[in-house]
Amino acid sequence: MGDEGLDVSGLSIGILGGTGHQGMGLAHRFAAVGHQVLIGSRSAARAHEAAESLGPGLPVRGEENAVVAAESDVVIIAVPWEGHRLTLEALRPVLAGKIVVNCVNPLGFDKQGAYPLDVEEGSAAQQAAAILPESRVVAAFHHVSAVLLLDPEVSEIDLDVLVLGDDRQATDTVQALAARIPGMRGVYGGRLRNAHQVEAFTANLISINRRYKAHAGIRVTDV
Amino acid sequence: MGDEGLDVSGLSIGILGGTGHQGMGLAHRFAAVGHQVLIGSRSAARAHEAAESLGPGLPVRGEENAVVAAESDVVIIAVPWEGHRLTLEALRPVLAGKIVVNCVNPLGFDKQGAYPLDVEEGSAAQQAAAILPESRVVAAFHHVSAVLLLDPEVSEIDLDVLVLGDDRQATDTVQALAARIPGMRGVYGGRLRNAHQVEAFTANLISINRRYKAHAGIRVTDV
């Protein structure tokens, strides 16, 4: 996948908004393969609690978002869309120079299901890039099923993680990180300007899950 | 896939703009499994030529777009985005009551590759639905690789066709049609309001093809 030979096993991973389902699921999987994981929250107490809830023996700590951002090699943004802009604005200096992985899906919900919200910058990832000009923003992990990530019975995650960005070294790194989780691959998915449809496609996966009673993901063929 | 027992083998398939690569590829595959296929073009002469070029012995004819729209059970819109609106406006009466399958991807290209164009109605499929209120508009076949469809060495197409629409019977029919092509599945992909990201995702597949020198498609997991 272009990341052959890239050893990312020593990278620590911070997850802002890591007390949500998606963040907890990723924390669990990355810690299970030996990454130091820092779960971030606005509240240090909630972060501690979340880290403890993943069980003993895992290399997971909980801290306030700002501490997590400062201490992690790679920072995953998993905050709710509502808090996206303000969270990133507050952390701009401490995220400078870092690989910042955006997995936020700006979605609305009504009785017909999920639909993508309009984002002024085009996508959550582009909004992050606009707020964090000194960071290396990558978009990835949009389609992970929190249910599967958190299920101890599921040993392999049947999913290709689309990794988007304009910084080749950063996307290669995130592809290699995705491949650390058993079953997952990281597949380059295009530049940041093409992130909107990957975020929005989560709405389609929600429709698919509803129709087929599934936890759907995607695989890219011929790659 | 929800279409079990739905026999669509007797349906004739018209392809407007069928002389392009995508249209020709679909014509070839549907004719190869026995569907009567009508290739449409603005020019009857070009349509005849296209039909003949697929080789003898296949149930394929070429006709002007209006004839194709009138005579086919299911009509696939494969015209270039530039001609989309005018083509459909001209055919509104003759397409009334029919299943109209939109596979148009509104994309722009520059030196960085492909990117989605803004569409006033949200997507090509929604534009089709707005122009054709009497038709049963479905969106599907966006991600088929014309190269693979037209390659006689390729016996199976490794692709899930996402089928979107608000008319259950129509989406079931198109899912069953997709499944007629060996290797393909038709998977329900959501309502028409979620078609934009499926169309736009073709830009990502183009990026993927370029990076990996592939003819990428997608498979939906857990379905």
Side-chain angles (χ1 to χ4, degrees):
Chain A
M1 300 291 83
D3 45 301
E4 291 83 359
L6 196 56
D7 183 7
V8 295
S9 61
L11 296 179
S12 63
I13 300 174
I15 306 178
L16 305 182
T19 59
H21 293 299
Q22 198 182 9
M24 287 289 279
L26 289 171
H28 166 62
R29 295 286 164 173
F30 280 123
V33 294
H35 286 278
Q36 174 65 52
V37 174
L38 287 92
I39 292 179
S41 169
R42 280 177 300 179
S43 143
R46 282 188 48 217
H48 293 314
E49 211 177 290
E52 269 171 34
S53 78
L54 286 179
L58 286 176
V60 183
R61 271 167 47 216
E63 301 288 352
E64 247 188 291
N65 279 333
V67 176
V68 169
E71 295 192 2
S72 305
D73 296 321
V74 172
V75 179
I76 297 175
I77 313 293
V79 298
W81 170 239
E82 297 67 37
H84 187 255
R85 183 186 294 279
L86 288 178
T87 302
L88 295 189
E89 281 174 354
L91 298 172
R92 184 185 293 148
V94 76
L95 289 174
K98 302 209 180 209
I99 294 178
V100 173
V101 186
N102 202 293
C103 61
V104 174
N105 297 314
L107 297 181
F109 294 86
D110 61 21
K111 63 177 191 229
Q112 296 196 330
Y115 59 92
L117 299 174
D118 278 335
V119 178
E120 195 189 327
E121 294 85 352
S123 60
Q126 287 164 292
Q127 182 178 96
I131 296 170
L132 307 170
E134 307 287 313
S135 300
R136 305 164 74 189
V137 174
V138 171
F141 297 112
H142 306 88
H143 304 152
V144 291
S145 158
V147 175
L148 296 183
L149 290 175
L150 287 168
D151 186 340
E153 304 285 299
V154 174
S155 58
E156 301 216 339
I157 304 290
D158 186 9
L159 180 73
D160 282 347
V161 171
L162 295 171
V163 179
L164 295 94
D166 301 333
D167 174 333
R168 175 71 185 254
Q169 207 182 22
T171 55
D172 280 354
T173 300
V174 177
Q175 285 176 245
L177 280 173
R180 297 275 298 156
I181 298 179
M184 276 194 195
R185 290 195 306 179
V187 176
Y188 174 71
R191 291 176 172 271
L192 228 47
R193 71 174 179 177
N194 281 321
H196 164 72
Q197 52 266 29
V198 175
E199 298 172 2
F201 187 70
T202 305
N204 300 74
L205 289 173
I206 291 168
S207 303
I208 291 169
N209 288 344
R210 187 184 284 200
R211 171 68 61 93
Y212 297 105
K213 311 205 185 316
H215 300 295
I218 62 166
R219 287 288 191 188
V220 180
T221 59
D222 199 34
V223 161
Chain B
M1 299 288 84
D3 44 302
E4 291 85 357
L6 197 55
D7 182 7
V8 295
S9 62
L11 295 179
S12 63
I13 299 174
I15 306 178
L16 306 181
T19 59
H21 293 300
Q22 199 182 9
M24 287 288 279
L26 290 171
H28 167 61
R29 295 286 164 174
F30 281 122
V33 295
H35 286 279
Q36 173 65 52
V37 174
L38 286 92
I39 292 180
S41 168
R42 280 178 299 178
S43 143
R46 281 185 50 215
H48 293 314
E49 212 178 288
E52 269 172 34
S53 77
L54 286 178
L58 287 175
V60 183
R61 270 165 49 214
E63 300 288 352
E64 248 187 290
N65 279 332
V67 176
V68 168
E71 296 193 1
S72 305
D73 295 322
V74 173
V75 180
I76 298 176
I77 313 292
V79 298
W81 170 239
E82 296 69 37
H84 187 256
R85 183 185 294 279
L86 287 178
T87 301
L88 295 189
E89 281 175 353
L91 298 172
R92 183 185 294 147
V94 75
L95 290 173
K98 302 208 179 210
I99 295 179
V100 172
V101 186
N102 201 295
C103 60
V104 174
N105 298 312
L107 297 180
F109 293 86
D110 61 20
K111 62 179 192 228
Q112 297 196 330
Y115 59 93
L117 299 174
D118 279 335
V119 178
E120 197 189 328
E121 293 85 354
S123 61
Q126 287 163 292
Q127 182 178 97
I131 296 170
L132 306 171
E134 305 289 311
S135 300
R136 306 164 74 188
V137 175
V138 170
F141 298 112
H142 307 87
H143 304 151
V144 291
S145 158
V147 175
L148 296 182
L149 289 176
L150 286 168
D151 186 341
E153 304 285 299
V154 175
S155 58
E156 300 216 339
I157 304 290
D158 186 9
L159 179 73
D160 282 348
V161 170
L162 295 170
V163 178
L164 295 92
D166 302 332
D167 174 333
R168 176 71 186 254
Q169 205 183 22
T171 55
D172 280 354
T173 300
V174 177
Q175 285 176 244
L177 280 174
R180 295 275 297 158
I181 298 179
M184 277 193 193
R185 289 196 306 179
V187 176
Y188 175 72
R191 288 175 174 271
L192 227 48
R193 70 174 180 177
N194 280 323
H196 164 74
Q197 51 268 27
V198 176
E199 297 172 2
F201 187 70
T202 306
N204 300 74
L205 289 173
I206 291 170
S207 303
I208 292 169
N209 287 344
R210 189 186 281 201
R211 170 67 62 94
Y212 297 104
K213 309 205 185 318
H215 299 294
I218 63 167
R219 287 288 192 190
V220 180
T221 59
D222 200 33
V223 163

Short mmCIF file of all heavy atoms in Angstrom, two decimals, chain B residues 141-198:
data_model
loop_
_atom_site.label_atom_id
_atom_site.label_comp_id
_atom_site.label_asym_id
_atom_site.label_seq_id
_atom_site.Cartn_x
_atom_site.Cartn_y
_atom_site.Cartn_z
N PHE B 141 -24.32 2.34 -10.98
CA PHE B 141 -23.27 2.09 -11.99
C PHE B 141 -22.28 3.25 -12.12
O PHE B 141 -21.68 3.44 -13.18
CB PHE B 141 -23.89 1.80 -13.37
CG PHE B 141 -24.75 0.57 -13.42
CD1 PHE B 141 -26.13 0.68 -13.61
CD2 PHE B 141 -24.20 -0.70 -13.25
CE1 PHE B 141 -26.94 -0.45 -13.65
CE2 PHE B 141 -25.01 -1.83 -13.29
CZ PHE B 141 -26.37 -1.71 -13.49
N HIS B 142 -22.09 4.02 -11.04
CA HIS B 142 -21.14 5.14 -11.11
C HIS B 142 -19.70 4.67 -11.20
O HIS B 142 -18.86 5.34 -11.77
CB HIS B 142 -21.26 6.01 -9.86
CG HIS B 142 -22.65 6.47 -9.58
ND1 HIS B 142 -23.54 5.72 -8.85
CD2 HIS B 142 -23.30 7.59 -9.96
CE1 HIS B 142 -24.69 6.37 -8.78
NE2 HIS B 142 -24.58 7.50 -9.43
N HIS B 143 -19.39 3.54 -10.57
CA HIS B 143 -17.99 3.18 -10.35
C HIS B 143 -17.49 2.09 -11.28
O HIS B 143 -16.41 1.57 -11.09
CB HIS B 143 -17.79 2.75 -8.90
CG HIS B 143 -18.23 3.77 -7.89
ND1 HIS B 143 -18.68 3.46 -6.64
CD2 HIS B 143 -18.28 5.13 -7.97
CE1 HIS B 143 -18.99 4.57 -5.99
NE2 HIS B 143 -18.77 5.60 -6.79
N VAL B 144 -18.30 1.73 -12.27
CA VAL B 144 -17.85 0.69 -13.18
C VAL B 144 -16.66 1.20 -13.99
O VAL B 144 -16.62 2.34 -14.42
CB VAL B 144 -18.97 0.24 -14.15
CG1 VAL B 144 -20.05 -0.50 -13.38
CG2 VAL B 144 -19.58 1.40 -14.92
N SER B 145 -15.68 0.34 -14.16
CA SER B 145 -14.52 0.67 -14.99
C SER B 145 -14.82 0.28 -16.43
O SER B 145 -15.01 -0.89 -16.74
CB SER B 145 -13.29 -0.08 -14.50
OG SER B 145 -12.33 -0.16 -15.53
N ALA B 146 -14.86 1.28 -17.31
CA ALA B 146 -15.13 0.99 -18.71
C ALA B 146 -14.07 0.06 -19.28
O ALA B 146 -14.37 -0.82 -20.10
CB ALA B 146 -15.18 2.29 -19.51
N VAL B 147 -12.84 0.23 -18.81
CA VAL B 147 -11.74 -0.62 -19.30
C VAL B 147 -12.02 -2.08 -19.00
O VAL B 147 -11.89 -2.95 -19.87
CB VAL B 147 -10.40 -0.19 -18.66
CG1 VAL B 147 -9.28 -1.14 -19.06
CG2 VAL B 147 -10.05 1.24 -19.05
N LEU B 148 -12.45 -2.36 -17.77
CA LEU B 148 -12.73 -3.75 -17.41
C LEU B 148 -13.98 -4.26 -18.14
O LEU B 148 -14.00 -5.40 -18.61
CB LEU B 148 -12.92 -3.89 -15.89
CG LEU B 148 -11.70 -3.57 -15.02
CD1 LEU B 148 -12.02 -3.81 -13.54
CD2 LEU B 148 -10.48 -4.40 -15.43
N LEU B 149 -15.01 -3.43 -18.22
CA LEU B 149 -16.25 -3.88 -18.87
C LEU B 149 -16.00 -4.26 -20.32
O LEU B 149 -16.61 -5.19 -20.85
CB LEU B 149 -17.30 -2.76 -18.83
CG LEU B 149 -17.93 -2.42 -17.48
CD1 LEU B 149 -18.88 -1.24 -17.63
CD2 LEU B 149 -18.68 -3.60 -16.88
N LEU B 150 -15.08 -3.55 -20.97
CA LEU B 150 -14.85 -3.76 -22.41
C LEU B 150 -13.77 -4.79 -22.69
O LEU B 150 -13.55 -5.17 -23.83
CB LEU B 150 -14.48 -2.42 -23.08
CG LEU B 150 -15.65 -1.45 -23.26
CD1 LEU B 150 -15.14 -0.06 -23.64
CD2 LEU B 150 -16.62 -1.97 -24.33
N ASP B 151 -13.10 -5.27 -21.62
CA ASP B 151 -11.99 -6.21 -21.82
C ASP B 151 -12.54 -7.63 -21.95
O ASP B 151 -13.07 -8.18 -20.98
CB ASP B 151 -11.03 -6.11 -20.63
CG ASP B 151 -9.79 -6.96 -20.83
OD1 ASP B 151 -9.80 -7.88 -21.68
OD2 ASP B 151 -8.79 -6.68 -20.14
N PRO B 152 -12.40 -8.26 -23.12
CA PRO B 152 -12.97 -9.61 -23.29
C PRO B 152 -12.26 -10.66 -22.43
O PRO B 152 -12.82 -11.74 -22.21
CB PRO B 152 -12.77 -9.89 -24.79
CG PRO B 152 -11.70 -8.95 -25.24
CD PRO B 152 -11.75 -7.75 -24.34
N GLU B 153 -11.08 -10.33 -21.93
CA GLU B 153 -10.36 -11.27 -21.06
C GLU B 153 -10.92 -11.27 -19.64
O GLU B 153 -10.61 -12.15 -18.85
CB GLU B 153 -8.87 -10.88 -20.98
CG GLU B 153 -8.16 -10.78 -22.32
CD GLU B 153 -7.88 -12.16 -22.88
OE1 GLU B 153 -7.16 -12.92 -22.22
OE2 GLU B 153 -8.41 -12.47 -23.97
N VAL B 154 -11.66 -10.22 -19.30
CA VAL B 154 -12.20 -10.11 -17.94
C VAL B 154 -13.58 -10.76 -17.91
O VAL B 154 -14.54 -10.23 -18.47
CB VAL B 154 -12.29 -8.62 -17.51
CG1 VAL B 154 -12.97 -8.50 -16.14
CG2 VAL B 154 -10.90 -8.00 -17.47
N SER B 155 -13.66 -11.92 -17.25
CA SER B 155 -14.94 -12.65 -17.26
C SER B 155 -15.83 -12.23 -16.10
O SER B 155 -17.05 -12.32 -16.20
CB SER B 155 -14.69 -14.15 -17.24
OG SER B 155 -13.95 -14.49 -16.09
N GLU B 156 -15.24 -11.77 -15.01
CA GLU B 156 -16.05 -11.33 -13.87
C GLU B 156 -15.64 -9.92 -13.45
O GLU B 156 -14.45 -9.61 -13.39
CB GLU B 156 -15.86 -12.28 -12.68
CG GLU B 156 -16.27 -13.70 -12.99
CD GLU B 156 -16.92 -14.39 -11.81
OE1 GLU B 156 -16.71 -13.96 -10.66
OE2 GLU B 156 -17.67 -15.36 -12.04
N ILE B 157 -16.62 -9.11 -13.12
CA ILE B 157 -16.36 -7.74 -12.68
C ILE B 157 -16.46 -7.73 -11.15
O ILE B 157 -17.53 -7.98 -10.59
CB ILE B 157 -17.40 -6.76 -13.29
CG1 ILE B 157 -17.42 -6.87 -14.82
CG2 ILE B 157 -17.12 -5.34 -12.83
CD1 ILE B 157 -16.20 -6.34 -15.53
N ASP B 158 -15.35 -7.43 -10.51
CA ASP B 158 -15.25 -7.48 -9.04
C ASP B 158 -15.73 -6.15 -8.45
O ASP B 158 -14.94 -5.27 -8.12
CB ASP B 158 -13.78 -7.75 -8.69
CG ASP B 158 -13.55 -7.98 -7.20
OD1 ASP B 158 -14.54 -8.09 -6.46
OD2 ASP B 158 -12.38 -8.04 -6.80
N LEU B 159 -17.04 -6.01 -8.34
CA LEU B 159 -17.60 -4.69 -7.99
C LEU B 159 -18.97 -4.83 -7.36
O LEU B 159 -19.81 -5.59 -7.84
CB LEU B 159 -17.73 -3.85 -9.27
CG LEU B 159 -18.31 -2.44 -9.14
CD1 LEU B 159 -17.30 -1.51 -8.49
CD2 LEU B 159 -18.72 -1.89 -10.50
N ASP B 160 -19.20 -4.07 -6.31
CA ASP B 160 -20.56 -3.87 -5.82
C ASP B 160 -21.09 -2.57 -6.41
O ASP B 160 -20.45 -1.51 -6.26
CB ASP B 160 -20.59 -3.78 -4.29
CG ASP B 160 -20.49 -5.14 -3.63
OD1 ASP B 160 -20.63 -6.16 -4.33
OD2 ASP B 160 -20.27 -5.19 -2.41
N VAL B 161 -22.22 -2.66 -7.08
CA VAL B 161 -22.86 -1.47 -7.63
C VAL B 161 -23.78 -0.90 -6.57
O VAL B 161 -24.72 -1.57 -6.13
CB VAL B 161 -23.65 -1.84 -8.90
CG1 VAL B 161 -24.50 -0.68 -9.36
CG2 VAL B 161 -22.69 -2.30 -10.00
N LEU B 162 -23.52 0.32 -6.13
CA LEU B 162 -24.40 0.98 -5.17
C LEU B 162 -25.61 1.52 -5.91
O LEU B 162 -25.47 2.23 -6.91
CB LEU B 162 -23.66 2.10 -4.46
CG LEU B 162 -22.49 1.63 -3.60
CD1 LEU B 162 -21.67 2.82 -3.13
CD2 LEU B 162 -22.98 0.83 -2.41
N VAL B 163 -26.79 1.17 -5.42
CA VAL B 163 -28.04 1.53 -6.08
C VAL B 163 -28.83 2.43 -5.12
O VAL B 163 -29.19 2.02 -4.02
CB VAL B 163 -28.86 0.28 -6.44
CG1 VAL B 163 -30.18 0.66 -7.09
CG2 VAL B 163 -28.03 -0.64 -7.37
N LEU B 164 -29.10 3.66 -5.57
CA LEU B 164 -29.76 4.64 -4.69
C LEU B 164 -31.08 5.09 -5.28
O LEU B 164 -31.19 5.25 -6.51
CB LEU B 164 -28.86 5.86 -4.49
CG LEU B 164 -27.55 5.60 -3.75
CD1 LEU B 164 -26.43 5.30 -4.74
CD2 LEU B 164 -27.18 6.77 -2.87
N GLY B 165 -32.05 5.30 -4.44
CA GLY B 165 -33.32 5.79 -4.92
C GLY B 165 -34.37 5.77 -3.84
O GLY B 165 -34.17 5.19 -2.77
N ASP B 166 -35.49 6.40 -4.15
CA ASP B 166 -36.57 6.53 -3.17
C ASP B 166 -37.74 5.60 -3.48
O ASP B 166 -38.75 5.62 -2.78
CB ASP B 166 -37.05 7.99 -3.13
CG ASP B 166 -35.91 8.94 -2.78
OD1 ASP B 166 -34.98 8.51 -2.08
OD2 ASP B 166 -35.95 10.10 -3.22
N ASP B 167 -37.62 4.81 -4.55
CA ASP B 167 -38.69 3.92 -5.01
C ASP B 167 -38.16 2.49 -4.86
O ASP B 167 -37.30 2.04 -5.62
CB ASP B 167 -38.98 4.28 -6.47
CG ASP B 167 -39.97 3.34 -7.16
OD1 ASP B 167 -40.07 2.16 -6.77
OD2 ASP B 167 -40.62 3.78 -8.12
N ARG B 168 -38.66 1.79 -3.86
CA ARG B 168 -38.10 0.49 -3.50
C ARG B 168 -38.14 -0.51 -4.64
O ARG B 168 -37.20 -1.27 -4.87
CB ARG B 168 -38.85 -0.06 -2.28
CG ARG B 168 -38.44 -1.47 -1.83
CD ARG B 168 -37.06 -1.46 -1.20
NE ARG B 168 -36.58 -2.79 -0.90
CZ ARG B 168 -36.51 -3.30 0.33
NH1 ARG B 168 -36.89 -2.60 1.37
NH2 ARG B 168 -36.04 -4.53 0.52
N GLN B 169 -39.26 -0.53 -5.36
CA GLN B 169 -39.39 -1.49 -6.46
C GLN B 169 -38.37 -1.19 -7.56
O GLN B 169 -37.79 -2.09 -8.17
CB GLN B 169 -40.81 -1.40 -7.01
CG GLN B 169 -41.30 -2.65 -7.67
CD GLN B 169 -42.69 -2.47 -8.26
OE1 GLN B 169 -43.14 -1.36 -8.53
NE2 GLN B 169 -43.39 -3.57 -8.45
N ALA B 170 -38.15 0.10 -7.77
CA ALA B 170 -37.19 0.50 -8.81
C ALA B 170 -35.76 0.15 -8.40
O ALA B 170 -34.98 -0.38 -9.20
CB ALA B 170 -37.32 2.00 -9.10
N THR B 171 -35.40 0.43 -7.14
CA THR B 171 -34.03 0.09 -6.72
C THR B 171 -33.84 -1.43 -6.68
O THR B 171 -32.79 -1.93 -7.07
CB THR B 171 -33.66 0.70 -5.34
OG1 THR B 171 -34.62 0.30 -4.36
CG2 THR B 171 -33.62 2.22 -5.41
N ASP B 172 -34.88 -2.17 -6.28
CA ASP B 172 -34.77 -3.63 -6.31
C ASP B 172 -34.52 -4.13 -7.73
O ASP B 172 -33.71 -5.04 -7.96
CB ASP B 172 -36.06 -4.28 -5.76
CG ASP B 172 -36.11 -4.28 -4.24
OD1 ASP B 172 -35.12 -3.89 -3.59
OD2 ASP B 172 -37.17 -4.67 -3.70
N THR B 173 -35.22 -3.53 -8.69
CA THR B 173 -35.06 -3.94 -10.08
C THR B 173 -33.63 -3.68 -10.57
O THR B 173 -33.01 -4.53 -11.21
CB THR B 173 -36.08 -3.18 -10.97
OG1 THR B 173 -37.39 -3.50 -10.53
CG2 THR B 173 -35.92 -3.56 -12.44
N VAL B 174 -33.12 -2.51 -10.24
CA VAL B 174 -31.78 -2.15 -10.71
C VAL B 174 -30.71 -2.99 -9.98
O VAL B 174 -29.71 -3.38 -10.58
CB VAL B 174 -31.54 -0.64 -10.56
CG1 VAL B 174 -30.12 -0.26 -10.97
CG2 VAL B 174 -32.54 0.13 -11.41
N GLN B 175 -30.94 -3.30 -8.71
CA GLN B 175 -30.02 -4.22 -8.02
C GLN B 175 -29.98 -5.57 -8.72
O GLN B 175 -28.91 -6.15 -8.92
CB GLN B 175 -30.45 -4.42 -6.57
CG GLN B 175 -30.14 -3.23 -5.68
CD GLN B 175 -30.68 -3.45 -4.27
OE1 GLN B 175 -31.55 -2.74 -3.82
NE2 GLN B 175 -30.15 -4.45 -3.58
N ALA B 176 -31.16 -6.05 -9.11
CA ALA B 176 -31.23 -7.34 -9.80
C ALA B 176 -30.55 -7.26 -11.17
O ALA B 176 -29.88 -8.20 -11.61
CB ALA B 176 -32.68 -7.79 -9.94
N LEU B 177 -30.68 -6.12 -11.84
CA LEU B 177 -30.00 -5.96 -13.12
C LEU B 177 -28.49 -5.97 -12.94
O LEU B 177 -27.76 -6.60 -13.72
CB LEU B 177 -30.43 -4.65 -13.79
CG LEU B 177 -31.77 -4.67 -14.52
CD1 LEU B 177 -32.14 -3.27 -15.00
CD2 LEU B 177 -31.74 -5.64 -15.71
N ALA B 178 -28.00 -5.28 -11.92
CA ALA B 178 -26.55 -5.27 -11.66
C ALA B 178 -26.04 -6.70 -11.44
O ALA B 178 -24.97 -7.07 -11.93
CB ALA B 178 -26.22 -4.39 -10.47
N ALA B 179 -26.84 -7.47 -10.74
CA ALA B 179 -26.42 -8.84 -10.41
C ALA B 179 -26.42 -9.75 -11.64
O ALA B 179 -25.89 -10.87 -11.59
CB ALA B 179 -27.34 -9.42 -9.34
N ARG B 180 -26.99 -9.29 -12.75
CA ARG B 180 -26.96 -10.09 -13.98
C ARG B 180 -25.56 -10.16 -14.57
O ARG B 180 -25.23 -11.08 -15.32
CB ARG B 180 -27.91 -9.48 -15.02
CG ARG B 180 -29.38 -9.50 -14.62
CD ARG B 180 -30.04 -10.80 -14.97
NE ARG B 180 -30.03 -11.03 -16.42
CZ ARG B 180 -30.14 -12.23 -16.99
NH1 ARG B 180 -30.26 -13.30 -16.24
NH2 ARG B 180 -30.12 -12.35 -18.30
N ILE B 181 -24.73 -9.19 -14.27
CA ILE B 181 -23.37 -9.15 -14.82
C ILE B 181 -22.46 -9.97 -13.91
O ILE B 181 -22.37 -9.68 -12.71
CB ILE B 181 -22.87 -7.70 -14.95
CG1 ILE B 181 -23.78 -6.92 -15.93
CG2 ILE B 181 -21.41 -7.65 -15.39
CD1 ILE B 181 -23.41 -5.46 -16.11
N PRO B 182 -21.82 -11.00 -14.43
CA PRO B 182 -21.04 -11.89 -13.57
C PRO B 182 -20.02 -11.14 -12.71
O PRO B 182 -19.25 -10.32 -13.21
CB PRO B 182 -20.33 -12.82 -14.58
CG PRO B 182 -21.27 -12.85 -15.75
CD PRO B 182 -21.85 -11.47 -15.82
N GLY B 183 -20.04 -11.45 -11.41
CA GLY B 183 -19.13 -10.82 -10.46
C GLY B 183 -19.76 -9.65 -9.74
O GLY B 183 -19.44 -9.37 -8.59
N MET B 184 -20.65 -8.96 -10.38
CA MET B 184 -21.26 -7.76 -9.78
C MET B 184 -22.38 -8.13 -8.80
O MET B 184 -23.08 -9.10 -9.01
CB MET B 184 -21.89 -6.87 -10.85
CG MET B 184 -20.93 -5.96 -11.55
SD MET B 184 -21.91 -4.73 -12.49
CE MET B 184 -20.61 -4.05 -13.53
N ARG B 185 -22.52 -7.28 -7.79
CA ARG B 185 -23.70 -7.31 -6.95
C ARG B 185 -24.34 -5.93 -7.02
O ARG B 185 -23.65 -4.93 -7.22
CB ARG B 185 -23.35 -7.53 -5.48
CG ARG B 185 -22.87 -8.89 -5.09
CD ARG B 185 -22.94 -9.08 -3.57
NE ARG B 185 -22.22 -8.03 -2.85
CZ ARG B 185 -22.15 -7.97 -1.53
NH1 ARG B 185 -22.77 -8.88 -0.77
NH2 ARG B 185 -21.48 -7.00 -0.93
N GLY B 186 -25.63 -5.88 -6.81
CA GLY B 186 -26.30 -4.61 -6.62
C GLY B 186 -26.61 -4.46 -5.14
O GLY B 186 -27.30 -5.30 -4.56
N VAL B 187 -26.09 -3.43 -4.51
CA VAL B 187 -26.30 -3.20 -3.08
C VAL B 187 -27.04 -1.88 -2.91
O VAL B 187 -26.62 -0.85 -3.45
CB VAL B 187 -24.95 -3.16 -2.33
CG1 VAL B 187 -25.16 -2.83 -0.86
CG2 VAL B 187 -24.20 -4.48 -2.49
N TYR B 188 -28.13 -1.91 -2.18
CA TYR B 188 -28.85 -0.67 -1.88
C TYR B 188 -27.91 0.30 -1.18
O TYR B 188 -27.23 -0.08 -0.21
CB TYR B 188 -30.07 -0.96 -1.01
CG TYR B 188 -30.79 0.29 -0.57
CD1 TYR B 188 -31.54 1.04 -1.47
CD2 TYR B 188 -30.71 0.73 0.76
CE1 TYR B 188 -32.19 2.20 -1.07
CE2 TYR B 188 -31.36 1.88 1.17
CZ TYR B 188 -32.10 2.61 0.25
OH TYR B 188 -32.74 3.75 0.66
N GLY B 189 -27.88 1.54 -1.64
CA GLY B 189 -26.90 2.49 -1.11
C GLY B 189 -27.49 3.74 -0.49
O GLY B 189 -26.75 4.65 -0.13
N GLY B 190 -28.82 3.77 -0.35
CA GLY B 190 -29.43 4.94 0.28
C GLY B 190 -30.40 5.67 -0.63
O GLY B 190 -30.64 5.26 -1.77
N ARG B 191 -30.95 6.75 -0.10
CA ARG B 191 -31.90 7.55 -0.85
C ARG B 191 -31.19 8.44 -1.86
O ARG B 191 -29.98 8.66 -1.76
CB ARG B 191 -32.72 8.41 0.11
CG ARG B 191 -33.70 7.59 0.91
CD ARG B 191 -34.42 8.42 1.95
NE ARG B 191 -35.43 7.60 2.59
CZ ARG B 191 -36.68 7.49 2.13
NH1 ARG B 191 -37.08 8.19 1.09
NH2 ARG B 191 -37.54 6.70 2.75
N LEU B 192 -31.98 9.00 -2.76
CA LEU B 192 -31.41 9.85 -3.81
C LEU B 192 -30.68 11.06 -3.23
O LEU B 192 -29.71 11.55 -3.80
CB LEU B 192 -32.54 10.32 -4.73
CG LEU B 192 -32.31 10.20 -6.23
CD1 LEU B 192 -31.77 8.85 -6.65
CD2 LEU B 192 -33.58 10.50 -6.99
N ARG B 193 -31.10 11.54 -2.07
CA ARG B 193 -30.43 12.71 -1.50
C ARG B 193 -29.01 12.39 -1.09
O ARG B 193 -28.23 13.29 -0.81
CB ARG B 193 -31.22 13.26 -0.30
CG ARG B 193 -31.20 12.35 0.92
CD ARG B 193 -31.88 13.03 2.10
NE ARG B 193 -31.87 12.18 3.28
CZ ARG B 193 -32.34 12.55 4.45
NH1 ARG B 193 -32.88 13.76 4.59
NH2 ARG B 193 -32.32 11.74 5.48
N ASN B 194 -28.67 11.11 -1.02
CA ASN B 194 -27.30 10.72 -0.70
C ASN B 194 -26.53 10.25 -1.93
O ASN B 194 -25.53 9.53 -1.81
CB ASN B 194 -27.29 9.66 0.40
CG ASN B 194 -27.49 10.27 1.79
OD1 ASN B 194 -26.98 11.36 2.07
ND2 ASN B 194 -28.25 9.61 2.64
N ALA B 195 -26.98 10.66 -3.11
CA ALA B 195 -26.30 10.25 -4.35
C ALA B 195 -25.04 11.06 -4.61
O ALA B 195 -24.10 10.57 -5.24
CB ALA B 195 -27.25 10.36 -5.54
N HIS B 196 -25.01 12.32 -4.15
CA HIS B 196 -23.86 13.17 -4.50
C HIS B 196 -22.53 12.51 -4.17
O HIS B 196 -21.60 12.47 -4.98
CB HIS B 196 -23.93 14.53 -3.81
CG HIS B 196 -22.62 15.25 -3.85
ND1 HIS B 196 -22.14 15.83 -4.99
CD2 HIS B 196 -21.64 15.40 -2.91
CE1 HIS B 196 -20.93 16.34 -4.75
NE2 HIS B 196 -20.62 16.10 -3.50
N GLN B 197 -22.42 12.01 -2.95
CA GLN B 197 -21.12 11.48 -2.54
C GLN B 197 -20.74 10.21 -3.29
O GLN B 197 -19.55 9.93 -3.44
CB GLN B 197 -21.05 11.26 -1.02
CG GLN B 197 -22.17 10.46 -0.41
CD GLN B 197 -23.31 11.36 0.08
OE1 GLN B 197 -23.53 12.44 -0.44
NE2 GLN B 197 -24.04 10.90 1.08
N VAL B 198 -21.74 9.48 -3.77
CA VAL B 198 -21.42 8.28 -4.56
C VAL B 198 -20.91 8.70 -5.94
O VAL B 198 -19.93 8.14 -6.45
CB VAL B 198 -22.67 7.37 -4.65
CG1 VAL B 198 -22.40 6.17 -5.56
CG2 VAL B 198 -23.06 6.90 -3.25
#
